[in-house]
């Protein structure tokens, strides 16, 4: 085997790897986006109908499908432009290179304990709160427009940030690893038509960030004190303390959390 053959094999392996990475990101984002999932289902149905029309020699159906295949991509780009943009933005924000510290089991338990003490306080006193835990997809665009804090997580700090009538009460808090990075963050609200109209801006903002990233969004209702978690484009509403804690622990154990250096943060509303 000469050098040219080795180089050919290497380029083919690289080619296949890039294709698999692209497929992985597409499937990952389709899974978390209802409208994109409908697009994929529609494409699959068209391909199945195309196969059947060719097999049975259905001329009229075949012509219609040909036109759909020819002009369909352009129509999809125009109609689903916001969804396609969100997928591309999500891919762009994903941390491909692991420059972050992975939290140990003890650190994760400490983070969960501090958050749970704060959320239980909010529940008992009916104080509204929105806490977003960043995972693999970067939330830097929201951090840039927020009040930087970069402090160790503690229940007392979280409670003070959401104290009624405080300057940062209406915004969201972003957690990276075992640090509170910023407060007063304003997130895009979900446009999900199936979401109950009884739910306010906080819950819609929580679902909105869960739809465009893999973050965990923790919500305490100001009106009822009920606790909810938004993740993977779904809102788990009115959870008990035990359910809330279980989901939080499971999700933090399933995905690696990130930890930024203080220098990174320094460089760099109703919720």
């Amino acid at each position: 085997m000469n050098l040219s053959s080795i180089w050919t094999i290497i380029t083919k392996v690289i080619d296949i790897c890039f294709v698999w990475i692209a497929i992985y990101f597409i499937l990952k984002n389709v899974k978390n986006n209802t409208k994109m999932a409908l697009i994929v289902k529609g494409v699959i149905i068209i391909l199945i109908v195309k196969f059947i029309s060719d097999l049975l020699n259905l001329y009229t159906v075949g012509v219609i499908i040909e036109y759909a295949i020819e002009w369909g991509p352009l129509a999809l780009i125009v109609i689903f432009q916001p969804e396609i943009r969100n997928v591309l933005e999500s891919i762009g924000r994903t941390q491909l290179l692991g420059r972050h510290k992975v939290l140990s089991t003890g650190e994760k338990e400490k983070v969960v304990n501090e958050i749970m003490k704060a959320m239980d306080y909010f529940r008992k006193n009916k104080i509204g709160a929105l806490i977003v835990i960043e995972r693999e997809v970067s939330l830097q665009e929201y951090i840039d427009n927020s009040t930087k804090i970069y402090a160790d997580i503690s229940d007392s700090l979280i409670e003070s940030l959401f104290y009624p009538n405080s300057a940062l009460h209406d915004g969201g808090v972003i957690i990276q690893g075992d640090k509170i990075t910023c407060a007063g963050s304003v997130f895009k609200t979900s446009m999900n038509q199936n979401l109950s109209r009884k739910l306010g801006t906080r819950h819609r903002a929580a679902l909105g960030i869960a739809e465009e990233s893999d973050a965990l969004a923790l919500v305490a209702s100001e009106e009822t004190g009920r606790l909810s978690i938004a993740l993977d484009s779904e809102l788990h509403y009115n959870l008990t303390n035990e359910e809330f804690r279980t989901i939080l622990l499971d999700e933090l154990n399933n995905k690696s959390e990130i930890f930024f250096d203080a220098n990174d943060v320094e460089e760099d509303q109703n919720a």
Side-chain angles (χ1 to χ4, degrees):
M1 183 178 290
N2 55 32
L3 187 61
S4 176
S5 300
I6 296 175
W7 177 249
T8 300
I9 294 173
I10 292 174
T11 55
K12 288 182 178 180
V13 170
I14 294 173
D15 185 27
I16 294 172
C17 288
F18 273 119
V19 171
W20 276 111
I21 290 172
I23 293 174
Y24 166 76
F25 278 113
I26 290 172
L27 293 178
K28 180 180 177 181
N29 285 278
V30 165
K31 179 178 72 71
N32 295 332
N33 191 306
T34 303
K35 291 185 178 179
M36 289 300 294
L38 291 176
I39 294 175
V40 173
K41 289 179 181 177
V43 171
I44 292 174
I45 290 172
I46 289 175
L47 294 176
I48 292 174
V49 174
K50 170 65 176 171
F51 173 77
I52 294 174
S53 68
D54 290 344
L55 186 65
L56 302 179
N57 197 24
L58 304 176
Y59 176 76
T60 305
V61 174
V63 170
I64 295 174
I65 294 299
E66 288 290 344
Y67 276 114
I69 293 174
E70 183 177 355
W71 297 102
L74 180 60
L76 290 176
I77 292 173
V78 174
I79 296 172
F80 294 98
Q81 184 266 339
E83 285 72 26
I84 295 173
R85 185 190 65 224
N86 288 339
V87 170
L88 294 176
E89 287 178 352
S90 177
I91 293 174
R93 288 193 299 268
T94 300
Q95 304 294 327
L96 294 178
L97 299 177
R99 66 185 185 93
H100 308 105
K101 170 191 171 185
V102 177
L103 297 181
S104 67
T105 301
E107 289 170 328
K108 289 178 183 177
E109 289 181 353
K110 181 179 184 299
V111 168
V112 171
N113 288 336
E114 296 300 321
I115 291 175
M116 285 305 306
K117 285 189 284 186
M119 297 303 288
D120 188 51
Y121 174 81
F122 297 146
R123 180 183 63 81
K124 292 177 179 177
N125 295 277
K126 294 186 178 180
I127 295 175
L130 173 57
I131 301 172
V132 177
I133 302 176
E134 183 186 85
R135 296 200 279 183
E136 294 178 10
V137 177
S138 173
L139 302 178
Q140 192 62 41
E141 64 175 288
Y142 297 105
I143 295 172
D144 290 339
N145 297 318
S146 307
T147 301
K148 310 299 186 300
I149 295 178
Y150 199 77
D152 291 335
I153 292 178
S154 70
D155 62 311
S156 57
L157 176 56
I158 297 174
E159 291 166 13
S160 66
L161 291 173
F162 289 106
Y163 190 81
N165 301 320
S166 69
L168 301 174
H169 169 72
D170 289 330
V173 161
I174 294 179
I175 291 176
Q176 293 178 311
D178 56 356
K179 304 290 181 182
I180 297 176
T181 302
C182 64
S185 301
V186 178
F187 304 104
K188 301 172 187 175
T189 57
S190 172
M191 302 304 291
N192 189 334
Q193 299 298 319
N194 296 323
L195 198 61
S196 173
R197 297 191 179 186
K198 295 180 181 180
L199 299 179
T201 309
R202 254 189 207 92
H203 291 86
R204 294 184 180 276
L207 186 57
I209 195 64
E211 288 173 343
E212 70 172 50
S213 74
D214 63 345
L216 291 177
L218 319 178
V219 188
S221 172
E222 191 168 354
E223 289 74 24
T224 64
R226 291 173 176 172
L227 304 182
S228 306
I229 295 181
L231 69 147
D232 295 335
S233 302
E234 293 185 7
L235 181 66
H236 302 265
Y237 182 67
N238 191 20
L239 301 171
T240 64
N241 278 17
E242 189 58 36
E243 291 171 337
F244 192 96
R245 182 185 182 89
T246 299
I247 292 176
L248 190 54
L249 272 173
D250 286 346
E251 291 300 318
L252 290 183
N253 286 330
N254 288 340
K255 293 193 178 183
S256 58
E257 300 305 323
I258 63 176
F259 177 98
F260 280 89
D261 291 330
N263 293 333
D264 290 343
V265 176
E266 291 173 359
E267 289 174 2
D268 299 337
Q269 58 313 350
N270 192 340

